[in-house]
Amino acid sequence: MTADPAVLLLGFTVDDADIREITRRSPVLPTQTDAFAWNVVSALREGGARVSLLSTAPVPNFPAYPKVFFRSKRFHEHGTAGLLLGFINVLGLKHVTRFVQCLLRGTRFIRSRGVRSVVVHGAHTPFLLYARIVKRTMGIRICVILTDPPAVSIAGENRLVAGMKRIDRRLMKSLCSGFDGVIALTPHLASDYAPGVPSLITPGFASTSLLLGDPDSDEEPESTFRVGYGGGLSDEYGVADLVNAISTSSGDIRLELFGRGSLDDWLAERAAVDPRICVGGVLPRDQLLRHLSSLDVLVNPRQLRHSFTKYSFPSKLLEFMSLGVPTISTRLPSLPNGLAEHLVLAESTVEGIAAAIERVRGMSRERRLELGRSARAYVLSQLSPVAQGPAIVHFVEGHDGT
């Protein structure tokens, strides 16, 4: 591997002002996608790569997101140059216009940046197809990062959308098969959606930017035991189970939820009758993380009964652990052994989550601080961009995966 390899990250990495605006207007929170993307940028740079960005705004289709026409523009954020591609945000037209913009503007940008490797963040059909064309016409290596199963069907969506997603999934699998490498959060993502392609498995990134300082062990703790969750407020993420677990608990305990999702109305009703349930809405990322770091325990209550669970590794889990707060997680099949040792594991039931919360609640404050610090030290030493960057660049540049 020669010095300073030029890598293009093709995906959804946008500047900070745009992500704040999208977060304000979108029913689907893009914060985890944005945080992951910038961690990829950091990892590539820590591995010695010169990174450029070819991106598009991560927004749901109109009218869920109240904007139709997006314009292209150059941007520069966190020391990285990028080109934001315009598109028409209407079902069907979104994919077509993003692909056309890649052809019209992306190729010229790639040549101007001296790119020799393209990394596609996410199984987005226009980007996968464009990367295959780049490989064939320009001889550039291409890798794809898979973080979630592509084109997941949602309960209640209409037959047209469900049918288009089925076609999209088949097309994605076909396109991924022609990549030079796949970086996946779980082994099942790599083997099922890019079979036979060399793979590198990582559960994600623990960011050193989350080092907010330890809670003061000499500080008088609050009498209320505070439980926290931040992310999508939906049933498939186990939020209803977490709320019901708190409802079964007795004593001075409070659940603090941040985010939004399909359970918003239900949560408002529960909070109205149970003052221990507190819904804080969407906070700016730095404010949210600082608040979460002050709580007694954080919970990832992801359910295991859904088919996508074997593909799932929630990025919020590493985020929670990076904050130095004791973290509870359900027993996800994708949990690496080393990581699981630093978590409090719970069965994926109301009773199981309640029991895990009571286990942490029964610990001394000193023991909770020790557990949080140990988890943070582990994820930062093993899963930070600094720790993983060289291996990722090594893989992207064409060396053997695992």
Side-chain angles (χ1 to χ4, degrees):
M1 181 174 65
T2 61
D4 197 26
V7 178
L8 179 86
L9 181 60
L10 175 58
F12 304 92
T13 320
V14 303
D15 63 39
D16 292 350
D18 280 346
I19 206 66
R20 285 194 295 269
E21 176 68 6
I22 292 169
T23 300
R24 184 180 69 83
R25 303 177 72 185
S26 176
V28 180
L29 294 177
T31 47
Q32 293 296 340
T33 297
D34 181 69
F36 184 90
W38 282 110
N39 276 322
V40 172
V41 173
S42 295
L44 291 170
R45 293 174 66 174
E46 291 290 346
R50 176 171 59 84
V51 184
S52 303
L53 305 172
L54 187 60
S55 304
T56 193
V59 296
N61 296 327
F62 180 85
Y65 192 83
K67 183 176 178 179
V68 175
F69 297 102
F70 287 76
R71 295 183 179 276
S72 298
K73 68 174 183 178
R74 296 264 185 163
F75 68 97
H76 198 275
E77 193 73 58
H78 304 301
T80 308
L83 173 63
L84 189 69
L85 297 171
F87 62 96
I88 300 173
N89 190 31
V90 176
L91 178 65
L93 283 176
K94 174 189 276 189
H95 280 47
V96 172
T97 52
R98 282 177 171 173
F99 177 67
V100 170
Q101 283 287 293
C102 282
L103 293 174
L104 294 179
R105 301 178 64 91
T107 302
R108 186 164 61 247
F109 183 70
I110 286 174
R111 288 197 173 104
S112 72
R113 302 295 297 175
V115 170
R116 74 184 195 194
S117 300
V118 171
V119 177
V120 180
H121 174 199
H124 185 48
T125 308
F127 291 164
L128 296 175
L129 179 57
Y130 177 64
R132 290 287 299 270
I133 292 172
V134 165
K135 176 182 177 180
R136 179 178 290 272
T137 60
M138 302 174 69
I140 289 176
R141 281 186 55 81
I142 58 173
C143 294
V144 59
I145 300 175
L146 299 180
T147 58
D148 295 289
V152 174
S153 294
I154 301 171
E157 67 188 3
N158 65 57
R159 294 176 64 182
L160 174 61
V161 173
M164 292 181 71
K165 284 186 176 180
R166 284 194 296 270
I167 295 171
D168 211 22
R169 283 194 296 272
R170 289 195 290 268
L171 181 57
M172 286 176 185
K173 187 172 181 178
S174 175
L175 290 171
C176 285
S177 68
F179 274 65
D180 296 303
V182 55
I183 301 170
L185 265 59
T186 72
H188 283 293
L189 274 174
S191 61
D192 288 3
Y193 289 97
V197 177
S199 63
L200 179 69
I201 307 302
T202 172
F205 299 97
S207 177
T208 53
S209 67
L210 303 184
L211 286 173
L212 304 175
D214 286 329
D216 189 345
S217 57
D218 296 325
E219 227 177 54
E220 187 67 27
E222 287 192 20
S223 59
T224 300
F225 186 76
R226 298 179 300 156
V227 182
Y229 170 88
L233 302 181
S234 62
D235 184 54
E236 58 264 30
Y237 291 163
V239 174
D241 287 347
L242 176 56
V243 170
N244 290 329
I246 294 296
S247 296
T248 67
S249 300
S250 59
D252 202 357
I253 189 169
R254 181 169 70 241
L255 172 62
E256 302 186 19
L257 301 164
F258 299 92
R260 63 170 169 256
S262 58
L263 290 179
D264 284 350
D265 292 342
W266 180 79
L267 289 170
E269 293 172 2
R270 292 298 296 266
V273 298
D274 188 345
R276 299 178 303 168
I277 309 299
C278 304
V279 184
V282 179
L283 298 180
R285 179 173 167 78
D286 57 345
Q287 184 179 339
L288 169 64
L289 296 177
R290 189 163 296 280
H291 185 80
L292 291 177
S293 72
S294 72
L295 303 184
D296 294 301
V297 66
L298 301 174
V299 184
N300 166 51
R302 181 70 61 93
Q303 293 179 346
L304 306 187
R305 57 181 174 267
H306 297 285
S307 60
F308 65 78
T309 301
K310 69 177 181 177
Y311 302 112
S312 174
F313 190 93
S315 55
K316 68 172 65 67
L317 190 53
L318 295 183
E319 195 168 78
F320 289 173
M321 297 174 76
S322 298
L323 293 173
V325 179
T327 301
I328 293 169
S329 176
T330 50
R331 297 178 183 273
L332 296 170
S334 55
L335 283 177
N337 288 333
L339 193 70
E341 293 172 7
H342 296 276
L343 294 164
V344 176
L345 297 178
E347 299 303 321
S348 182
T349 62
V350 171
E351 296 77 14
I353 294 169
I357 291 172
E358 289 304 317
R359 286 204 302 276
V360 179
R361 192 181 181 187
M363 297 176 182
S364 67
R365 178 170 170 78
E366 291 71 25
R367 173 59 184 138
R368 292 201 301 269
L369 288 171
E370 178 187 351
L371 183 60
R373 289 168 180 157
S374 172
R376 181 168 67 184
Y378 176 81
V379 296
L380 291 179
S381 66
Q382 301 297 315
L383 298 172
S384 69
V386 173
Q388 297 190 85
I392 289 173
V393 173
H394 190 82
F395 179 76
V396 167
E397 281 284 280
H399 300 269
D400 290 338
T402 56

